Amino acid sequence: MEAFPLNFKKKDCKIVVAVDESEESMYALSWCLCNLISQTTINNLILLYVKSPPPVYSSLDVAGYIISGDVIRALETYGNDLANSVMGRAEDICGKFSTDVTVERMVGSGDAKDVICNIVDRIKPDTLVMGSHGYGFFKRVSRKRE
């Protein structure tokens, strides 16, 4: 009887976790670390945060007030600080669970669903993990009307 050769090479496993400010996304990250990370694979975890698209301002807003460059820079700084804060929280959670996971940060800008889909199409991960805010069908429909 011929023996099959054993392949001891570990498989690469790429997981994208979409994170935001919510507790739901941090729970999804924790769930991922508990349930999807394996000792038999090389685990690459990509934390994806999507910033809101930068607002487009003219020098005058609707009410006729002048929007200065300082205000726009302050909004951009706030967005960057928020992204760093969320990524810091996510990396803290990763540090509590496992040390054999390579963690990479990705920050996109725009509509979250479009950015997430584009990133997934581009990097072709094995798994995409996202939290849920728990909105059912009727809640989603009513939110669209607001």
Side-chain angles (χ1 to χ4, degrees):
M1 180 189 253
E2 187 177 323
F4 292 102
L6 295 175
N7 185 0
F8 288 109
K9 184 178 177 192
K10 289 186 172 184
K11 179 189 180 295
D12 284 337
C13 182
K14 193 183 302 184
I15 301 171
V16 173
V17 181
V19 294
D20 62 14
E21 304 82 22
S22 71
E23 288 301 315
E24 291 87 0
S25 73
M26 295 302 152
Y27 176 79
L29 174 60
S30 299
W31 179 89
C32 170
L33 292 166
C34 287
N35 296 292
L36 297 180
I37 302 299
S38 169
Q39 300 300 328
T40 61
T41 60
I42 298 171
N43 300 295
N44 299 308
L45 186 67
I46 300 163
L47 301 173
L48 174 60
Y49 178 77
V50 181
K51 295 191 296 187
S52 298
V56 178
Y57 296 109
S58 66
S59 59
L60 294 174
D61 71 357
V62 177
Y65 295 107
I66 296 177
I67 305 287
S68 72
D70 292 339
V71 171
I72 294 170
R73 278 190 295 283
L75 289 172
E76 290 171 358
T77 301
Y78 173 74
N80 292 335
D81 291 346
L82 185 59
N84 286 330
S85 172
V86 169
M87 289 296 194
R89 283 180 55 209
E91 287 174 340
D92 287 345
I93 291 171
C94 292
K96 292 176 184 174
F97 278 90
S98 180
T99 58
D100 63 338
V101 176
T102 303
V103 179
E104 180 184 337
R105 289 179 169 204
M106 290 186 86
V107 178
S109 180
D111 183 39
K113 67 180 178 194
D114 294 333
V115 172
I116 292 169
C117 289
N118 290 335
I119 295 289
V120 167
D121 281 344
R122 191 176 81 222
I123 65 174
K124 309 264 188 263
D126 298 302
T127 307
L128 169 64
V129 177
M130 298 172 52
S132 169
H133 293 278
Y135 298 139
F137 173 75
F138 292 109
K139 181 68 173 181
R140 284 193 305 267
V141 169
S142 67
R143 285 180 57 93
K144 286 182 183 178
R145 293 181 183 168
E146 294 174 354

